[in-house]
Amino acid sequence: MGLLVDGVPLSWHDSQPYRAKVKRDGITQFLNVYKSMKDTVTADLKWGDEVEYMLISLDEAKRTARLPLSAPDLLAVLQREEHSQPPGSTVPVLWRPEYANWMIEGTPGVPYRAFAADLVLVEQNMALRRKAVESLLRKDECALTLTAFPRQGCPQFTVPESTPGGPFARSLYTSDDVINPHPRFGTLTRNIRTRRGRKVDILVPLYQDRYTKLDQPLLFDDSAYRSALSKSSIAQSSPANTVPQNHHQRSQTSDVIETTSDTPDTPSEDQITDTAYMTYKEALQATSGKNIVMDSAAFGMGCCCLQVTLQGSDISESRYLYDQLAVMAPIMLSLTAATPAFRGLLADTDARWDVIAAAMDDRTADERETGRIPKSRYSSIDCFISDRAKAKAAQYNDLPVPIDETTYARLVAEGIDPLLAQHVAHLYIREPLVIYGDHVDQDNEKSTDHFENIQSTNWNTVRFKPPPPGTGIGWRTEFRSMEVGLTDFENAAFSVFVVLLSRVILAFDLNLYVPMSRVDENMRTAHQRNSAVDALFHFRKNIFSASSASGFVCAAGHIHHASIVGSKANVNDISAFCPDHSDSESDGETDVIESFTLNEIFNGKPLCHDGKQAGYAFPGLIPLIRGYIESINLDDSTLSRLNTYLDFVGDRAAGRVCTTATFIRNTILRHPAYRHDSVVSEEICHDLVKLCRDITSGASGAAELLGRFHLERYGGVDSSEAMMERMKKAPVGKQAGTLPGSSLPHSALHRTLSAIAMSQATNACSGC
Ligand code: ADP
Ligand code: MG
Ligand code: MG
């Protein structure tokens, strides 16, 4: 969501005199936080999820699905409980605005704690959120956790109808009316476009079916749409075009202050020189070829996602988790992929990430073409940051990392180590996009707003978050790549998986590093159609640290089967059984990676010996997590629920249940009205949304998507008060078990590895 400040955001042109100061002061603020908090230890894990909801309105008679622009009104009601509390009190759910007027974000009201029992609270908290939103909807509306609306940008895709265009995005497909009325969002959109010097330019490969038109025209072949467009701002050569109605109205009725530069009567200098868009006439002449073309931030920022934030015990742990989770970001994007269609057309890809990356790309042509700034500010990360000597993070930073030299020099002079200084100076190659004229002067001891200005507009796959001053909150890592699933069950399962994996990484001292260039290759792979089943990802072959090698594990990280090496095998003998033993003679870093399917990464990769399973070349993340949860003391109900989540994630990785993207794609392809032309018509979209609504509520099963998990719901929905009580009260007895990180005794890893060594693989051995 980013930083929301009440005030007047400046246009790109008007912000020029302040940008350098905002950057300089932002670094002062970062240094102040760093110096006062670098030794802070917050031993207890805290964590939280973020889920974004999409409002959709269904018209049964007309068989249409549209996006209502009512989220700001709904949000005001949802936030009443929070706003009516005396200071210092808590609510079980926090509601926050999001970019598009069909979106709302919900998070737990207070972070979850280190109790294992809190892992099973998350699904119920999500259910409470959904119930709260649903209670405010009209009969014909639903709130879905759908990553992208398949017909966003098609003619008449909103209610009320909105005409494409407006001074912020200047889009041919979306109206500025879809942008949240808080002035930050419109300004962000316009300033990205102005800085870039042209509109954002989003291309997604079109899925090619039997009758797909390969020369898709840039504009819709819809006369009503064209005539509306020709009357709208885009057709006019005058840059001082109309302000979207929504913004105009709201600026008069709410306390949101509109920028004067957007009023129709007083075109600002920005507007007069604003040619950073394509005119209607130009658009008519252009064809989009084999791509789906989109042209506004709403196509990306209007997508919903699932994020998880984890508090490390100290700065070093957070830095390590940042690196480890960065490697997992493409893997989890592939596993949660949910976006097979954009702008009424089937895409040849399954994930949203590249669309948002292009939607928020503020680089100038020169910055892009010379490679001076290789990526959009919405992108995968470029450098690892761990300061653990053993981790050797710098060794894996094989991508160019452009930095702001002045910032780097200042950070190093102030005592920041080179890797962290590089990370921050890399964030600082970007400029502040939204500056509030009346917030330029700040108390740099108390505020971090200027730091957050740059930090929160570097929308990366993971984010390293310093503690906000004076809050007691510690150093955190945010995991940001996942797409959102239809049900609370799926979203809880993936959130819990991320939390447990992060604990296992710390508890078992795992090392997932691969060279950064390979992480980027994985990011590209994750977008491929059905990558969760078909694709190979780079992953580290041996994820154990040298000290883990014992019992059944050889120095190459393989786990050898008990029946072959003998159940009391000694570590020194094990290598004799290992066909790949020579691997381990290398320095362990030069040839660290191999190609794996998601099934192998999650469920394990069997090792073969004379045609029989001889153990595992890779143990699988899920068996490691199962070993972890078995070595901590859990009550039966929590344990069983966690195992259900792991079963589901494992089944998804094995392809036993499909991704949401595959499910949506197949639903479209099988629809009787589908013409094998890649078009997602109004009718198909309506039926798809209706089916999604019924799957979400449990009214309809979806064997392909949820398999045996289709009826999974955890308990009833608590009342708000009961939920708050559970989130605050410390559990007792067996339920009071916590999730240790690095403090878990080493013996737990040994037990886990022995159990894996004895187990029969569920995967077929690829070598036999
Ligand atoms: P964003 O940067 O995405 O706006 P916020 O800081 O508002 O994120 O919160 C994101 C998530 O962090 C929420 O799920 C929230 O519950 C969680 N969170 C809040 N406090 C902590 C904490 N101390 N440790 C870990 N997560 C926390
Ligand atoms: Mg959000
Ligand atoms: Mg977030």
Side-chain angles (χ1 to χ4, degrees), residues 1 50 52 98 105 305 307:
M1 166 192 75
E50 294 168 70
E52 290 165 350
E98 261 304 334
E105 179 181 288
C305 71
Q307 297 175 339

Side-chain angles (χ1 to χ4, degrees), residues 82-238:
E82 179 191 350
H83 290 164
S84 64
Q85 301 287 320
S89 27
T90 49
V91 284
V93 171
L94 290 177
W95 295 103
R96 293 292 176 259
E98 261 304 334
Y99 182 88
N101 281 332
W102 55 78
M103 290 168 84
I104 300 183
E105 179 181 288
T107 67
V110 289
Y112 304 110
R113 303 153 298 179
F115 299 114
D118 274 23
L119 291 173
V120 298
L121 264 186
V122 60
E123 188 179 343
Q124 285 166 290
N125 192 284
M126 287 176 179
L128 182 68
R129 286 177 230 171
R130 200 179 282 282
K131 192 174 137 199
V133 182
E134 284 175 349
S135 71
L136 301 177
L137 299 178
R138 293 158 35 144
K139 229 175 77 225
D140 57 344
E141 290 175 337
C142 55
L144 295 188
T145 33
L146 183 66
T147 300
F149 181 66
R151 284 185 58 83
Q152 192 202 144
C154 291
Q156 294 93 45
F157 79 99
T158 63
V159 273
E161 282 183 14
S162 51
T163 307
F168 294 141
R170 295 236 187 219
S171 169
L172 293 165
Y173 305 107
T174 58
S175 161
D176 281 355
D177 284 358
V178 309
I179 305 172
N180 186 300
H182 190 286
R184 169 185 150 85
F185 296 100
T187 306
L188 188 62
T189 309
R190 190 195 47 206
N191 287 2
I192 284 177
R193 187 170 55 75
T194 331
R195 182 182 190 284
R196 182 182 165 89
R198 54 178 294 183
K199 257 190 339 192
V200 292
D201 186 5
I202 311 163
L203 297 179
V204 171
L206 175 67
Y207 174 76
Q208 295 183 20
D209 207 339
R210 225 172 316 149
Y211 304 119
T212 305
K213 276 197 259 167
L214 290 186
D215 53 346
Q216 292 283 331
L218 189 64
L219 287 178
F220 290 98
D221 189 15
D222 176 291
S223 54
Y225 169 80
R226 284 182 180 219
S227 108
L229 256 186
S230 63
K231 288 187 206 114
S232 79
S233 54
I234 289 150
Q236 297 166 15
S237 53
S238 157

Side-chain angles (χ1 to χ4, degrees), residues 327-383:
V327 175
M328 287 305 295
I331 307 291
M332 296 309 289
L333 177 64
S334 169
L335 198 63
T336 57
T339 328
F342 293 98
R343 232 204 63 204
L345 294 164
L346 273 172
D348 204 28
T349 51
D350 270 0
R352 81 196 187 292
W353 189 272
D354 282 352
V355 169
I356 322 187
M360 305 307 275
D361 189 354
D362 73 338
R363 289 172 301 162
T364 62
D366 184 58
E367 287 166 346
R368 273 178 287 133
E369 284 155 18
T370 58
R372 200 146 52 80
I373 302 191
K375 291 180 184 173
S376 163
R377 56 199 296 161
Y378 205 116
S379 68
S380 50
I381 65 159
D382 293 314
C383 51

Side-chain angles (χ1 to χ4, degrees), residues 655-681:
R656 286 188 281 273
V657 290
C658 70
T659 61
T660 313
T662 297
F663 174 75
I664 293 176
R665 185 185 299 280
N666 287 346
T667 304
I668 293 168
L669 292 176
R670 287 180 202 140
H671 194 285
Y674 178 66
R675 297 278 167 263
H676 299 278
D677 54 359
S678 313
V679 173
V680 187
S681 65

Side-chain angles (χ1 to χ4, degrees), residues 438-457:
D438 39 3
H439 282 71
V440 173
D441 290 315
Q442 297 194 348
D443 179 349
N444 293 333
E445 296 287 334
K446 295 203 177 106
S447 174
T448 53
D449 282 5
H450 286 334
F451 173 68
E452 286 298 327
N453 191 319
I454 298 290
Q455 155 99 334
S456 73
T457 54

